[in-house]
Amino acid sequence: MILKINHKAQVIATYSQRMIVRTVNGEHFNARIKGKNLRPVCGDWVLIESIKNENEKLITKISVRNNELSRINTRGKREILAANINLLIIVIAVHPEPDWYVVDRYISTAENMGIKAVIVFNKIDLDKKNNKAIDFIQDYKKIGYQTIKCSVKENSNLDKICQIVENKTAILVGQSGVGKSSIINKTTNNILKISEISVVSGQGKHTTANSMMFDLPNKGKLIDSPGIRDFITYAESFSEIISGYKEIKLHGVDCKFHNCRHLREPDCAVKYAVLKGKITNHRYNSFKRLINILKNLKKIN
Ligand SMILES: Nc1nc2c(ncn2[C@@H]2O[C@H](COP(=O)(O)OP(=O)(O)OP(=O)(O)O)[C@@H](O)[C@H]2O)c(=O)[nH]1
Ligand SMILES: [Mg+2]
Ligand SMILES: [Zn+2]
């Protein structure tokens, strides 16, 4: 009898049905999935098997995940983007102009995953005079989120990004064109250049096809992800939505009703905090907006 030897490996890149995996010894292999039910994502630990007379490996099992980065896709279904992440880096830029509602939804996802979210504000070379985005940045600092202003073009503050990723697995998220792949190219010693893992989109512009993990010299791992224009948080309940907005959760403990939704209830400490300026109008509107989006998608009632 021939014993099949299973090896442990991590998925470091995904291209729909195909993956690149890296074994614990640092060997890279192309791999495909055994059967139709496995859905490995970047960051997954998997078991791989050799296939007779082929270089490609077969992924036979996905290890239990520490966490999952999910969103609701355009068809209203839950989609897992990556797994086993311990830092979410939300990249925004002077251009294209930030969508702060989307920033909030990424933050709420990180809060519910139990991981830290950091806001990286790239391309500051394009706006030396500090535009209104800087005020927003201050608001997020006040809530307790670390923010880093940087420029890939001028190579400024990229070392700060490397520092926070040390010994961690971080994913760069944010809309298309903010500079996620550029940050990766400048900070990692990746062998593959971004152009090789990109496809040319309709506009003739290079867009990252799928997620891919790169190593930093300090044992940090950075995952590049394709730009998503309208990221929608995956949440199943009001309490999850509330947990995603940490200052709302904090003030909410003083509401009259323990299950207050902070919408139309009397004696709501959250609405009072908004009136007093302790919670910004933007963040409260963002919270209500997310509730409406999820209600329309029938994810909560
Ligand atoms: N002026 C300026 N341009 C930058 C900076 N960083 C990146 N860019 C440019 O912005 C454009 C988009 O950068 P990418 O790194 O491809 O953006 P991305 O976030 O990976 O985009 P997607 O892969 O489509 O999600 C490129 O033309 C970069 O050269 C910066 O700090 N300053
Ligand atoms: Mg990219
Ligand atoms: Zn309330």
Side-chain angles (χ1 to χ4, degrees):
M1 192 178 78
I2 303 165
L3 277 180
K4 278 186 187 161
I5 301 167
N6 286 316
H7 292 283
K8 206 173 173 187
Q10 189 170 32
V11 175
I12 63 160
T14 53
Y15 307 83
S16 64
Q17 295 306 306
R18 289 286 191 283
M19 334 253 129
I20 299 175
V21 297
R22 177 168 57 193
T23 65
V24 280
N25 303 329
E27 288 173 293
H28 292 79
F29 295 104
N30 289 325
R32 62 175 188 259
I33 306 154
K34 185 178 184 181
K36 286 197 180 117
N37 298 328
L38 292 182
R39 293 257 183 282
V41 293
C42 199
D44 262 329
W45 285 96
V46 294
L47 289 182
I48 52 169
E49 251 175 37
S50 296
I51 309 166
K52 207 177 165 189
N53 301 328
E54 276 192 50
N55 287 330
E56 202 168 75
K57 303 285 176 185
L58 205 57
I59 296 175
T60 56
K61 190 174 188 284
I62 303 173
S63 300
V64 176
R65 294 166 175 157
N66 291 334
N67 60 31
E68 294 169 333
L69 172 64
S70 322
R71 67 153 176 167
I72 297 176
N73 68 17
T74 45
R75 281 168 287 128
K77 293 267 186 296
R78 179 183 193 184
E79 185 185 342
I80 300 167
L81 303 171
N84 305 321
I85 309 291
N86 35 37
L87 177 66
L88 190 74
I89 300 181
I90 305 157
V91 186
I92 53 169
V94 175
H95 291 291
E97 202 176 307
D99 182 336
W100 296 97
Y101 292 113
V102 173
V103 171
D104 289 331
R105 287 183 231 141
Y106 277 123
I107 290 177
S108 73
T109 300
E111 289 292 341
N112 280 309
M113 286 171 76
I115 63 170
K116 203 173 144 187
V118 173
I119 302 173
V120 164
F121 189 19
N122 187 31
K123 307 197 193 183
I124 49 158
D125 56 282
L126 295 178
D127 183 34
K128 291 263 159 57
K129 290 201 187 96
N130 288 359
N131 67 2
K132 72 174 187 216
I134 303 293
D135 298 335
F136 269 100
I137 287 281
Q138 291 305 333
D139 288 341
Y140 287 92
K141 267 193 192 161
K142 276 186 211 152
I143 308 167
Y145 294 106
Q146 186 180 355
T147 62
I148 298 172
K149 286 182 240 163
C150 72
S151 165
V152 175
K153 195 175 172 196
E154 296 182 340
N155 205 351
S156 70
N157 275 348
L158 297 180
D159 51 332
K160 287 197 178 150
I161 300 176
C162 296
Q163 271 167 25
I164 58 166
V165 180
E166 187 168 5
N167 293 319
K168 292 207 168 76
T169 301
I171 184 163
L172 294 172
V173 294
Q175 64 193 109
S176 187
V178 291
K180 299 178 296 296
S181 301
S182 305
I183 291 171
I184 300 244
N185 265 343
K186 264 275 170 60
T187 54
T188 62
N189 44 5
N190 56 319
I191 320 152
L192 286 168
K193 279 288 156 219
I194 293 300
S195 58
E196 290 173 44
I197 59 157
S198 300
V199 292
V200 179
S201 69
Q203 293 85 37
K205 177 173 92 61
H206 279 279
T207 299
T208 312
N210 263 315
S211 297
M212 183 149 190
M213 187 188 285
F214 298 95
D215 293 326
L216 286 173
N218 63 11
K219 294 207 165 66
K221 293 172 181 178
L222 265 180
I223 299 176
D224 193 11
S225 72
I228 294 176
R229 194 154 48 89
D230 201 15
F231 179 88
I232 301 172
T233 313
Y234 176 80
E236 286 178 345
S237 65
F238 262 92
S239 69
E240 260 183 89
I241 301 174
I242 294 167
S243 304
Y245 287 76
K246 67 176 174 188
E247 74 280 39
I248 292 180
K249 187 174 182 182
L250 192 76
H251 285 281
V253 296
D254 296 326
C255 294
K256 182 176 176 185
F257 301 110
H258 80 276
N259 58 350
C260 185
R261 294 179 168 196
H262 321 307
L263 298 172
R264 277 172 292 274
E265 295 88 340
D267 294 331
C268 171
V270 168
K271 278 189 285 176
Y272 190 65
V274 176
L275 283 176
K276 287 268 175 185
K278 289 181 180 162
I279 294 173
T280 67
N281 280 317
H282 163 77
R283 289 275 292 174
Y284 183 57
N285 288 337
S286 166
F287 164 74
K288 288 195 293 187
R289 209 169 148 136
L290 179 57
I291 290 172
N292 283 333
I293 292 171
L294 294 173
K295 269 187 178 168
N296 286 337
L297 289 168
K298 299 197 170 31
K299 296 295 164 193
I300 54 162
N301 44 46

